[in-house]
Short mmCIF file of all heavy atoms in Angstrom, two decimals:
data_model
loop_
_atom_site.label_atom_id
_atom_site.label_comp_id
_atom_site.label_asym_id
_atom_site.label_seq_id
_atom_site.Cartn_x
_atom_site.Cartn_y
_atom_site.Cartn_z
N PHE A 1 90.36 122.93 102.28
CA PHE A 1 89.52 123.04 101.07
C PHE A 1 90.17 123.44 99.85
O PHE A 1 90.89 124.44 99.90
CB PHE A 1 88.37 124.05 101.53
CG PHE A 1 87.24 124.12 100.50
CD1 PHE A 1 86.34 123.06 100.32
CD2 PHE A 1 87.11 125.20 99.54
CE1 PHE A 1 85.29 123.13 99.38
CE2 PHE A 1 86.07 125.27 98.62
CZ PHE A 1 85.18 124.18 98.59
N ASN A 2 89.98 122.72 98.82
CA ASN A 2 90.58 122.96 97.44
C ASN A 2 89.75 123.73 96.63
O ASN A 2 88.90 123.22 95.98
CB ASN A 2 91.00 121.59 96.86
CG ASN A 2 91.80 121.76 95.63
OD1 ASN A 2 92.00 122.76 95.04
ND2 ASN A 2 92.49 120.57 95.12
N THR A 3 90.10 124.97 96.46
CA THR A 3 89.24 125.86 95.56
C THR A 3 89.43 125.59 94.07
O THR A 3 88.53 125.94 93.29
CB THR A 3 89.69 127.31 95.76
OG1 THR A 3 91.02 127.67 95.42
CG2 THR A 3 89.37 127.85 97.15
N LYS A 4 90.53 124.82 93.72
CA LYS A 4 90.60 124.43 92.29
C LYS A 4 89.81 123.18 91.88
O LYS A 4 89.49 123.04 90.80
CB LYS A 4 92.07 124.22 91.93
CG LYS A 4 92.92 125.51 92.00
CD LYS A 4 94.44 125.23 91.67
CE LYS A 4 95.25 126.48 91.70
NZ LYS A 4 96.67 126.19 91.38
N ASP A 5 89.41 122.51 93.06
CA ASP A 5 88.73 121.19 92.81
C ASP A 5 87.72 121.16 94.05
O ASP A 5 87.80 120.20 94.84
CB ASP A 5 89.60 119.97 92.77
CG ASP A 5 88.82 118.69 92.51
OD1 ASP A 5 87.63 118.82 91.92
OD2 ASP A 5 89.35 117.70 92.55
N PRO A 6 86.78 122.10 94.23
CA PRO A 6 85.87 122.11 95.38
C PRO A 6 85.05 120.86 95.53
O PRO A 6 84.82 120.48 96.62
CB PRO A 6 85.20 123.34 95.07
CG PRO A 6 85.10 123.57 93.61
CD PRO A 6 86.52 123.12 93.15
N TRP A 7 84.69 120.16 94.43
CA TRP A 7 83.84 118.97 94.53
C TRP A 7 84.51 117.84 95.17
O TRP A 7 83.91 116.83 95.52
CB TRP A 7 83.25 118.60 93.19
CG TRP A 7 82.09 119.61 92.89
CD1 TRP A 7 82.21 120.72 91.87
CD2 TRP A 7 80.86 119.67 93.41
NE1 TRP A 7 81.03 121.32 91.92
CE2 TRP A 7 80.22 120.74 92.78
CE3 TRP A 7 80.12 118.93 94.39
CZ2 TRP A 7 78.82 121.20 93.13
CZ3 TRP A 7 78.85 119.23 94.56
CH2 TRP A 7 78.25 120.28 93.96
N LYS A 8 85.94 117.96 95.27
CA LYS A 8 86.63 116.89 95.84
C LYS A 8 86.24 116.64 97.42
O LYS A 8 86.19 115.53 97.82
CB LYS A 8 88.16 117.23 95.75
CG LYS A 8 89.07 116.08 96.36
CD LYS A 8 90.51 116.48 96.04
CE LYS A 8 91.56 115.33 96.54
NZ LYS A 8 92.88 115.73 96.49
N PHE A 9 85.81 117.84 97.95
CA PHE A 9 85.43 117.73 99.46
C PHE A 9 84.14 116.81 99.54
O PHE A 9 84.18 115.93 100.48
CB PHE A 9 85.11 119.08 99.90
CG PHE A 9 84.50 119.09 101.25
CD1 PHE A 9 85.38 118.99 102.35
CD2 PHE A 9 83.24 119.28 101.51
CE1 PHE A 9 84.89 118.90 103.67
CE2 PHE A 9 82.49 119.30 102.70
CZ PHE A 9 83.41 119.12 103.88
N CYS A 10 83.19 116.98 98.75
CA CYS A 10 82.00 116.25 98.76
C CYS A 10 82.16 114.78 98.34
O CYS A 10 81.70 113.83 98.85
CB CYS A 10 80.82 116.89 97.96
SG CYS A 10 80.24 118.46 98.65
N SER A 11 83.04 114.66 97.27
CA SER A 11 83.22 113.37 96.66
C SER A 11 83.85 112.28 97.57
O SER A 11 83.67 111.07 97.45
CB SER A 11 84.08 113.39 95.35
OG SER A 11 83.49 114.14 94.48
N LYS A 12 84.63 112.86 98.65
CA LYS A 12 85.29 111.88 99.45
C LYS A 12 84.42 111.41 100.59
O LYS A 12 84.77 110.41 101.34
CB LYS A 12 86.52 112.61 100.16
CG LYS A 12 86.14 113.71 101.02
CD LYS A 12 87.49 114.41 101.70
CE LYS A 12 87.08 115.40 102.70
NZ LYS A 12 88.31 116.07 103.27
N LEU A 13 83.27 111.95 100.68
CA LEU A 13 82.19 111.57 101.70
C LEU A 13 81.37 110.43 101.13
O LEU A 13 81.28 110.18 99.96
CB LEU A 13 81.32 112.79 102.13
CG LEU A 13 81.98 113.96 102.59
CD1 LEU A 13 80.94 115.12 102.83
CD2 LEU A 13 82.74 113.58 103.97
N ASP A 14 80.68 109.62 102.07
CA ASP A 14 79.80 108.50 101.70
C ASP A 14 78.70 109.12 100.88
O ASP A 14 78.17 110.32 100.99
CB ASP A 14 79.36 107.79 102.93
CG ASP A 14 80.44 106.97 103.63
OD1 ASP A 14 81.45 106.80 102.91
OD2 ASP A 14 80.17 106.61 104.69
N ASN A 15 78.10 108.35 100.00
CA ASN A 15 76.96 108.79 99.13
C ASN A 15 75.87 109.39 99.94
O ASN A 15 75.17 110.25 99.47
CB ASN A 15 76.56 107.62 98.29
CG ASN A 15 77.47 107.22 97.23
OD1 ASN A 15 78.30 108.04 96.70
ND2 ASN A 15 77.43 105.94 96.70
N ALA A 16 75.63 108.75 101.11
CA ALA A 16 74.41 109.30 101.90
C ALA A 16 74.60 110.78 102.24
O ALA A 16 73.47 111.43 102.41
CB ALA A 16 74.43 108.48 103.12
N TYR A 17 75.70 111.30 102.26
CA TYR A 17 75.89 112.67 102.63
C TYR A 17 76.13 113.81 101.50
O TYR A 17 76.18 114.86 101.76
CB TYR A 17 77.22 112.85 103.57
CG TYR A 17 77.21 111.74 104.64
CD1 TYR A 17 78.41 111.03 104.83
CD2 TYR A 17 76.18 111.61 105.52
CE1 TYR A 17 78.55 110.08 105.80
CE2 TYR A 17 76.32 110.57 106.45
CZ TYR A 17 77.47 109.75 106.70
OH TYR A 17 77.54 108.90 107.57
N GLN A 18 76.12 113.18 100.25
CA GLN A 18 76.41 113.93 99.02
C GLN A 18 75.43 115.12 98.92
O GLN A 18 75.96 116.24 98.58
CB GLN A 18 76.46 113.08 97.81
CG GLN A 18 77.48 111.98 97.81
CD GLN A 18 78.90 112.46 97.57
OE1 GLN A 18 79.03 113.31 96.43
NE2 GLN A 18 79.83 112.07 98.26
N LYS A 19 74.21 114.90 99.03
CA LYS A 19 73.07 115.95 98.74
C LYS A 19 73.33 117.09 99.74
O LYS A 19 73.26 118.25 99.32
CB LYS A 19 71.80 115.35 98.70
CG LYS A 19 71.55 114.42 97.61
CD LYS A 19 70.15 113.92 97.63
CE LYS A 19 69.81 112.85 96.65
NZ LYS A 19 68.40 112.27 96.70
N LYS A 20 73.49 116.81 100.99
CA LYS A 20 73.69 117.75 102.09
C LYS A 20 74.89 118.54 101.81
O LYS A 20 74.94 119.85 101.76
CB LYS A 20 73.70 117.27 103.43
CG LYS A 20 72.31 116.89 103.95
CD LYS A 20 71.44 118.13 104.25
CE LYS A 20 70.12 117.68 104.94
NZ LYS A 20 69.24 118.78 104.95
N CYS A 21 75.98 117.87 101.38
CA CYS A 21 77.22 118.58 100.98
C CYS A 21 77.05 119.52 99.90
O CYS A 21 77.57 120.65 99.96
CB CYS A 21 78.26 117.45 100.84
SG CYS A 21 80.00 118.25 100.56
N ALA A 22 76.33 119.12 98.71
CA ALA A 22 76.18 119.92 97.64
C ALA A 22 75.44 121.19 98.00
O ALA A 22 75.71 122.23 97.36
CB ALA A 22 75.43 119.21 96.52
N SER A 23 74.60 121.13 98.99
CA SER A 23 73.73 122.36 99.28
C SER A 23 74.66 123.33 100.08
O SER A 23 74.36 124.50 100.29
CB SER A 23 72.59 121.88 100.32
OG SER A 23 71.69 121.06 99.59
N TYR A 24 75.78 122.91 100.65
CA TYR A 24 76.66 123.76 101.47
C TYR A 24 77.97 124.10 100.78
O TYR A 24 78.75 124.98 101.21
CB TYR A 24 76.83 123.17 102.89
CG TYR A 24 75.76 123.47 103.83
CD1 TYR A 24 74.75 122.44 103.94
CD2 TYR A 24 75.58 124.60 104.36
CE1 TYR A 24 73.63 122.67 104.81
CE2 TYR A 24 74.47 124.84 105.30
CZ TYR A 24 73.60 123.93 105.47
OH TYR A 24 72.58 124.09 106.43
N ILE A 25 78.35 123.49 99.70
CA ILE A 25 79.59 123.51 99.08
C ILE A 25 79.88 125.10 98.61
O ILE A 25 80.97 125.58 98.69
CB ILE A 25 79.83 122.71 97.92
CG1 ILE A 25 81.34 122.65 97.46
CG2 ILE A 25 78.92 122.98 96.68
CD1 ILE A 25 81.73 121.53 96.52
N SER A 26 78.84 125.81 98.11
CA SER A 26 78.98 127.16 97.66
C SER A 26 79.40 128.08 98.89
O SER A 26 80.03 129.05 98.86
CB SER A 26 77.74 127.70 97.08
OG SER A 26 77.57 127.06 95.81
N PHE A 27 78.93 127.72 100.09
CA PHE A 27 79.06 128.49 101.30
C PHE A 27 80.63 128.37 101.53
O PHE A 27 81.22 129.32 102.07
CB PHE A 27 78.24 127.99 102.42
CG PHE A 27 78.21 128.79 103.67
CD1 PHE A 27 78.39 130.26 103.63
CD2 PHE A 27 78.15 128.23 104.90
CE1 PHE A 27 78.45 131.04 104.74
CE2 PHE A 27 78.11 129.09 106.07
CZ PHE A 27 78.22 130.38 105.91
N MET A 28 81.05 127.14 101.48
CA MET A 28 82.54 126.93 101.70
C MET A 28 83.37 127.74 100.63
O MET A 28 84.40 128.30 101.09
CB MET A 28 82.86 125.47 101.73
CG MET A 28 82.56 124.75 102.94
SD MET A 28 83.12 122.98 102.98
CE MET A 28 81.76 122.27 102.04
N TYR A 29 82.92 127.61 99.50
CA TYR A 29 83.70 128.20 98.40
C TYR A 29 83.75 129.70 98.59
O TYR A 29 84.77 130.44 98.31
CB TYR A 29 82.92 127.86 97.10
CG TYR A 29 83.65 128.16 95.80
CD1 TYR A 29 84.93 127.49 95.53
CD2 TYR A 29 83.12 128.89 94.84
CE1 TYR A 29 85.64 127.69 94.38
CE2 TYR A 29 83.81 129.01 93.64
CZ TYR A 29 85.06 128.47 93.32
OH TYR A 29 85.68 128.60 92.19
N LEU A 30 82.62 130.34 99.08
CA LEU A 30 82.53 131.77 99.33
C LEU A 30 83.61 132.18 100.43
O LEU A 30 83.95 133.46 100.40
CB LEU A 30 81.17 132.09 99.86
CG LEU A 30 80.76 133.57 100.06
CD1 LEU A 30 80.91 134.35 98.64
CD2 LEU A 30 79.48 133.75 100.64
N LYS A 31 84.04 131.38 101.30
CA LYS A 31 85.06 131.81 102.18
C LYS A 31 86.41 131.97 101.56
O LYS A 31 87.27 132.72 102.25
CB LYS A 31 85.16 130.73 103.29
CG LYS A 31 83.90 130.48 104.07
CD LYS A 31 84.11 129.36 105.14
CE LYS A 31 84.82 130.00 106.30
NZ LYS A 31 84.02 130.81 107.12
N TYR A 32 86.61 131.54 100.36
CA TYR A 32 87.87 131.66 99.81
C TYR A 32 87.88 132.29 98.39
O TYR A 32 88.88 132.81 97.83
CB TYR A 32 88.50 130.33 99.56
CG TYR A 32 88.58 129.51 100.77
CD1 TYR A 32 87.58 128.53 101.14
CD2 TYR A 32 89.73 129.62 101.68
CE1 TYR A 32 87.69 127.84 102.40
CE2 TYR A 32 89.81 128.90 102.89
CZ TYR A 32 88.80 128.04 103.14
OH TYR A 32 88.84 127.26 104.34
N VAL A 33 86.67 132.47 97.80
CA VAL A 33 86.55 133.07 96.38
C VAL A 33 85.48 134.11 96.42
O VAL A 33 84.37 133.83 96.95
CB VAL A 33 86.21 132.02 95.38
CG1 VAL A 33 86.03 132.61 93.93
CG2 VAL A 33 87.14 130.88 95.31
#
């Protein structure tokens, strides 16, 4: 997980999964920041 570019994680996934990913990205970010 790249804390300098956290949205890179979601962006590499297919469009169908983007919304779910956006709902959890802060949770991932919290593990490092």
Side-chain angles (χ1 to χ4, degrees):
F1 188 72
N2 184 348
T3 55
K4 293 182 179 179
D5 185 13
W7 287 100
K8 185 176 181 180
F9 174 78
C10 292
S11 298
K12 70 181 182 182
L13 301 174
D14 290 347
N15 287 338
Y17 315 129
Q18 296 281 314
K19 292 180 184 179
K20 283 292 182 188
C21 187
S23 298
Y24 280 96
I25 193 169
S26 291
F27 190 33
M28 279 186 276
Y29 199 55
L30 185 62
K31 298 180 77 68
Y32 304 96
V33 178

